[in-house]
Amino acid sequence: MSATGSELLVRVAFAIGIGCLAMSALLATIALLLRAAARRRARRARRVEARWRPLLAASVHALPALPALAPRDLDPFLAVWLPMQEALRGDARDALNRVARWVGADVLARARLARRSARARLPAVAMLGHLGDAAAAPALAALMRGDGPVSLAAAQALLRIDRAAALPDVVALAAARRDWAIARLLVVLREVPATALADALAASIHHHLQPPRQRELSRLLRLAAIADPSRIEPVVRRVLDEVAAPAARAAALARVRHPAFVHHARAALLDPDGRVRAAGADALARIGAATDHAALCAALDDPDDRVRDAATSALGRLASPLAA
Amino acid sequence: MTAADWVQWGGGFFVAWFCLVNGAYLVLNLVAFVHIPRRLDAIAFDTARRNFWSAAPPVSILMPAHDEAGTIVGAVRSMLQLEYAEVEVIVVNDGSRDDTLAVLAQAFALAPDDTPVRRGPATAAVRGVWRSATFPALRVIDKDNGGKADALNAGLRHARHLLVCAVDADSVLARDGLARLVSPFLDDPLTIAAGGSVRPANGITVHDGHVERVGLPRTWLGRVQVVEYLRAFLFGRVGWAPLNAVLIVSGAFGLFRRDALLAVGGWRTGTVGEDMELVMRLHRTHRATGRPYRIAFVPDPVLWTEAPERWSVLRRQRSRWQRGLGECLAAHRALLADRRAGAAGWLAYPFFLVCEWLSPLVEVIAYLLLALGWTVGAIDGVAFAAFLLLALGTGVLLSTSALLLEELHFRTHAQRGDFVRLLAAVVIENLGYRQLTAWWRCRAMLSAALGRRAHWGRMTRSAQWQRNR
């Protein structure tokens, strides 16, 4: 390498080193400014919360004199209002809703729906649902069909605003949207009365019995865990009699509670698919008899770990034939 | 070529090396800047709803313990108080020589338990299984010493639930940590493993297993490790997640599907890098069979664990990590040549080989040659300063960007003055600490090359943060 090359190398090293240090100083400054801004926001939020917490608590009994709510105070206001809303019932909840409307929080929340950030929109969506704000329904319906966590929150809000109108749409989307995790859907649908949910799910399951729609059956059947079992049983029977897809059959077996399904459960123990065999063993734990003891003992040697687990659990719950 | 030519070409090589390695970290950093806000948006629905946890799938927490009498009760209480619907805690007392079992028996009223155990990986002999009378979700397996991997396998055989979470016994988990860690399994049913962030517990205040206050360690050695951990977890791991190329889920905090673990035979004993080895084996097995899968990393759930604040303990830890990394890379070198391996094989593996395993050796040689060159006059003071500035500048930039990521999204160390102290730690880290750890790692590589066995050594715990009440 020439002397010129050597000098160039030194210059490159210097330039990169100095550049990195300068960039580091810039990043550190940005971080410090962010921290200072966050501290100011936190101080303001604490003041707003300290002002609104006693007012909201007092509103449960009588409407106090209320200050104006500035748009930038919506988040700290909701940080107090939402947990109170979720903790209260009946007239106390209505009183909180009156306060929110009186100070214009509903207007601010509707305006917030146009923001891009999910974390900015979510509290507003939750508030509009609690308020039963029908004016926000079209915007919420559009959000429900969009992406991300706001879509599920919008579904929950629409169910709170008008359950009868929203439930069929929510169930239809719940069947198809793989990004709506079952665990999260159960939280949303838990607010729907078990009979209404069962009817909506049963109607949707009927619609999905024919291929190629059978993919959604297992999701719908898993959601039926919180529905009225007596109203779900007819469709469960149809799934077990007519559908071959293992995921759907396993999900259907998870819903059986009535002894009339026991022959389905016994047949499932011999299914080629491990999920179905495991679901069959689980079902026998609920509706089986002492005569199923032998079959469950045989399942202890199943090559599928899930089946062995389910059989172990089922044997622990069934009476032993020796006890008779 | 003259000696001066060699020095110049060598200098060119080292400049290029520093730029390559740090450039690769910078790319991971940029990926994290995009990925982290998306992740936090995605879980915003969960964090806004406390009752979400009631529908989450049950989890078996496996906690291997060896000589953990000082920390085990606090760690177990931390797990029993998690904001999570259904959890069972399985402590595996792995042949402790101290009072770990006696401490557990006294704190949790243990009584013999005869729950059946499933078939699974063979382990060292189990002496007894106990269940808490006061906390029925807690079981303790007492067994002969077999090492951490062996203890985890014993716990795996006793686990009842579909998901198992491996945690360290000297650690405290944030109350919502498990719920956050489970979210990849809800978002994508193909997820078989997920890792969370680990941070030094030195400086936090814990009361009955609950983190009350987050502070910084009192020593600069501890503070430098805070920066290191931020860098490692906030972009060192996050950056690989979108490519499904996460090669390590920390043994201190990882969530797995039980059936996926059993299918690959559980954790492998006989290696000190059992956490990375397992994840690489999961990648290889699933790629070889063509089974779709995902291994995730999520930065927001935090497990707090004690970082060594004594130099001798830190040296043993870093040596062990380097040995473990080398063992894993050697055992799974087929990943590099496997066309089915995806980004895990053609991108992540070479990254870990070059930037993590080999880099300390190149760095140490660079410093030694720099010093030698300056001493014999082959390198003048300007060149010497330039190369030192390059090494310092690139290191400081990466650590500072980790602090910015932390400030943007988590702000865990919110006490007044903490950020400035962390900035100071960033500088200190690059003025001797990093070079020292690189030296230790080189010695570990030499030890491995000479065929000396790696071992865990004795991790001396102060557990000061657990005595804070």
Side-chain angles (χ1 to χ4, degrees):
Chain A
M1 196 182 283
S2 65
T4 311
S6 178
E7 279 173 19
L8 180 62
L9 194 62
V10 169
R11 282 193 189 139
V12 165
F14 252 127
I16 294 174
I18 295 287
C20 287
L21 287 176
M23 188 66 154
S24 304
L26 175 64
L27 296 182
T29 306
I30 292 172
L32 281 166
L33 291 173
L34 284 172
R35 183 168 278 232
R39 274 228 158 84
R40 279 196 301 274
R41 273 199 308 274
R43 271 197 301 269
R44 186 179 175 91
R46 279 195 296 273
R47 278 199 303 270
V48 170
E49 287 176 26
R51 182 197 304 163
W52 281 101
R53 197 178 298 278
L55 290 173
L56 291 176
S59 73
V60 167
H61 306 291
L63 203 63
L66 296 171
L69 179 67
R72 63 176 171 158
D73 293 339
L74 181 63
D75 280 317
F77 174 83
L78 288 176
V80 181
W81 189 90
L82 280 171
M84 273 194 190
Q85 248 290 350
E86 283 159 14
L88 297 173
R89 293 289 180 270
D91 292 344
R93 217 180 223 187
D94 295 338
L96 282 182
N97 287 349
R98 277 197 298 276
V99 168
R101 289 195 186 90
W102 184 267
V103 299
D106 54 336
V107 175
L108 295 175
R110 263 181 256 128
R112 186 65 80 81
L113 296 184
R115 288 234 196 140
R116 290 184 62 185
S117 159
R119 279 174 276 173
R121 287 191 286 189
L122 277 170
V125 168
M127 161 174 257
L128 293 168
H130 285 303
L131 289 176
D133 193 311
L140 289 170
L143 286 177
M144 183 174 71
R145 283 171 167 72
D147 293 330
V150 181
S151 62
L152 194 50
Q156 187 174 38
L158 284 167
L159 286 171
R160 287 170 175 161
I161 292 170
D162 186 346
R163 183 194 311 136
L167 188 56
D169 285 342
V170 171
V171 167
L173 285 171
R177 288 190 68 149
R178 307 255 146 196
D179 59 319
W180 283 5
I182 296 290
R184 297 187 182 106
L185 275 165
L186 288 173
V187 168
V188 169
L189 294 174
R190 209 159 254 152
E191 297 179 13
V192 178
T195 49
L197 181 61
D199 291 342
L201 286 172
S204 189
I205 290 170
H206 274 296
H207 179 68
H208 285 88
L209 280 174
Q210 300 306 320
R213 295 197 201 100
Q214 286 181 354
R215 282 190 68 211
E216 281 80 35
L217 275 178
S218 63
R219 285 180 61 84
L220 290 166
L221 286 161
R222 288 170 70 189
L223 293 174
I226 54 172
D228 183 342
S230 62
R231 295 171 100 92
I232 285 293
E233 272 168 11
V235 285
V236 168
R237 185 179 295 282
R238 281 199 67 185
V239 171
L240 288 172
D241 289 339
E242 298 172 26
V243 176
R249 295 180 62 76
L253 283 164
R255 298 283 74 82
V256 303
R257 297 287 181 276
H258 197 281
F261 287 96
V262 71
H263 64 280
H264 289 98
R266 286 171 182 155
L269 267 189
L270 303 172
D271 195 280
D273 191 285
R275 287 170 294 182
V276 178
R277 294 198 302 276
D282 273 336
L284 285 176
R286 291 188 295 274
I287 59 174
T291 48
D292 295 308
H293 198 262
L296 288 168
C297 284
L300 292 176
D301 282 320
D302 195 287
D304 193 314
D305 178 57
R306 294 168 295 188
V307 179
R308 295 197 301 272
D309 263 1
T312 306
S313 177
L315 284 166
R317 286 158 71 176
L318 283 181
S320 163
L322 300 175
Chain B
M1 276 173 62
T2 64
D5 286 336
W6 279 109
V7 167
Q8 287 166 11
W9 280 107
F13 170 77
F14 291 123
V15 168
W17 179 273
F18 271 98
C19 292
L20 169 72
V21 169
N22 290 293
Y25 280 113
L26 211 56
V27 170
L28 287 177
N29 194 342
L30 293 173
V31 171
F33 268 100
V34 173
H35 185 72
I36 290 179
R38 283 188 189 162
R39 152 73 188 170
L40 295 178
D41 275 351
I43 61 158
F45 178 88
D46 305 341
T47 52
R49 281 153 185 76
R50 291 295 178 196
N51 60 356
F52 156 71
W53 319 134
S54 63
V59 172
S60 299
I61 296 177
L62 309 182
M63 185 185 285
H66 180 72
D67 294 349
E68 305 283 3
T71 59
I72 191 69
V73 171
V76 171
R77 283 203 181 120
S78 161
M79 302 304 155
L80 291 171
Q81 292 175 80
L82 292 173
E83 284 175 352
Y84 203 83
E86 193 174 348
V87 153
E88 65 168 356
V89 180
I90 301 173
V91 177
V92 186
N93 182 39
D94 190 43
S96 296
R97 294 160 295 187
D98 67 0
D99 296 332
T100 299
L101 184 61
V103 162
L104 284 166
Q106 188 186 26
F108 298 107
L110 299 181
D113 180 70
D114 59 1
T115 305
V117 61
R118 72 165 45 74
R119 292 173 218 166
T123 67
V126 172
R127 303 170 194 159
V129 181
W130 309 82
R131 185 183 290 273
S132 168
T134 46
F135 296 95
L138 170 65
R139 277 184 287 159
V140 177
I141 302 167
D142 185 36
K143 61 182 281 292
D144 288 346
N145 180 252
K148 184 174 178 180
D150 190 77
L152 284 168
N153 287 336
L156 181 62
R157 293 181 61 180
H158 283 79
R160 285 175 44 228
H161 299 315
L162 181 63
L163 297 179
V164 297
C165 180
V167 297
D168 276 356
D170 62 341
S171 52
V172 167
L173 184 54
R175 278 199 173 161
D176 62 352
L178 187 58
R180 287 173 178 268
L181 190 58
V182 89
S183 63
F185 293 85
L186 304 181
D187 294 334
D188 186 351
L190 295 176
T191 303
I192 58 171
S197 286
V198 178
R199 299 197 187 196
N202 320 48
I204 69 172
T205 305
V206 175
H207 180 70
D208 282 340
H210 174 53
V211 178
E212 283 190 336
R213 180 182 168 280
V214 175
L216 285 181
R218 277 195 289 260
T219 65
W220 284 103
L221 183 58
R223 291 170 185 179
V224 160
Q225 289 178 78
V226 170
V227 173
E228 266 192 315
Y229 277 58
L230 283 177
R231 206 175 53 240
F233 286 93
L234 286 190
F235 62 82
R237 309 275 168 97
V238 169
W240 295 111
L243 298 174
N244 195 21
V246 175
L247 286 191
I248 177 166
V249 167
S250 174
F253 189 31
L255 187 60
F256 303 86
R257 279 185 61 113
R258 191 191 70 211
D259 54 351
L261 288 178
L262 289 170
V264 299
W267 283 269
R268 184 154 294 166
T269 55
T271 172
V272 290
E274 76 289 331
D275 46 6
M276 187 174 189
E277 194 284 328
L278 172 67
V279 174
M280 293 177 88
R281 190 151 34 95
L282 286 170
H283 275 292
R284 284 184 67 190
T285 310
H286 282 75
R287 296 276 178 179
T289 55
R291 262 180 294 166
Y293 72 103
R294 181 171 161 246
I295 295 177
F297 182 83
V298 285
D300 45 294
V302 175
L303 180 112
W304 300 91
T305 193
E306 182 167 338
E309 285 187 281
R310 285 170 50 186
W311 291 98
S312 58
V313 180
L314 180 66
R315 175 175 50 79
R316 283 198 296 272
Q317 184 196 64
R318 296 313 164 92
S319 300
R320 186 179 73 244
W321 288 359
Q322 184 72 4
R323 289 286 298 256
L325 173 63
E327 285 171 5
C328 293
L329 291 172
H332 295 287
R333 57 190 178 276
L335 258 179
L336 190 57
D338 188 352
R339 281 186 303 172
R340 295 166 300 186
W346 66 268
L347 197 57
Y349 184 98
F351 174 91
F352 275 85
L353 179 65
V354 170
C355 302
E356 293 280 346
W357 186 75
L358 197 56
S359 191
L361 179 64
V362 175
E363 202 175 323
V364 166
I365 292 173
Y367 290 131
L368 289 175
L369 288 180
L370 199 62
L372 181 66
W374 187 50
T375 305
V376 303
I379 298 174
D380 62 16
V382 172
F384 185 81
F387 291 124
L388 279 186
L389 195 62
L390 172 68
L392 176 73
T394 49
V396 166
L397 176 60
L398 288 173
S399 296
T400 310
S401 71
L403 289 192
L404 177 60
L405 267 174
E406 160 71 8
E407 191 59 33
L408 272 171
H409 301 297
F410 305 107
R411 209 169 289 122
T412 314
H413 297 279
Q415 306 295 326
R416 204 173 272 280
D418 277 357
F419 187 78
V420 174
R421 291 187 195 96
L422 285 174
L423 272 180
V426 164
V427 177
I428 292 170
E429 184 201 5
N430 287 281
L431 288 176
Y433 173 86
R434 210 182 91 186
Q435 291 76 11
L436 181 60
T437 56
W439 172 248
W440 290 336
R441 290 166 73 181
C442 283
R443 284 179 54 181
M445 292 165 76
L446 179 64
S447 178
L450 292 175
R452 291 187 195 136
R453 269 203 70 179
H455 56 90
W456 278 80
R458 191 170 172 83
M459 173 71 182
T460 313
R461 307 201 194 288
S462 69
Q464 281 292 327
W465 49 279
Q466 287 225 21
R467 286 203 281 272
N468 293 329
R469 293 284 184 265

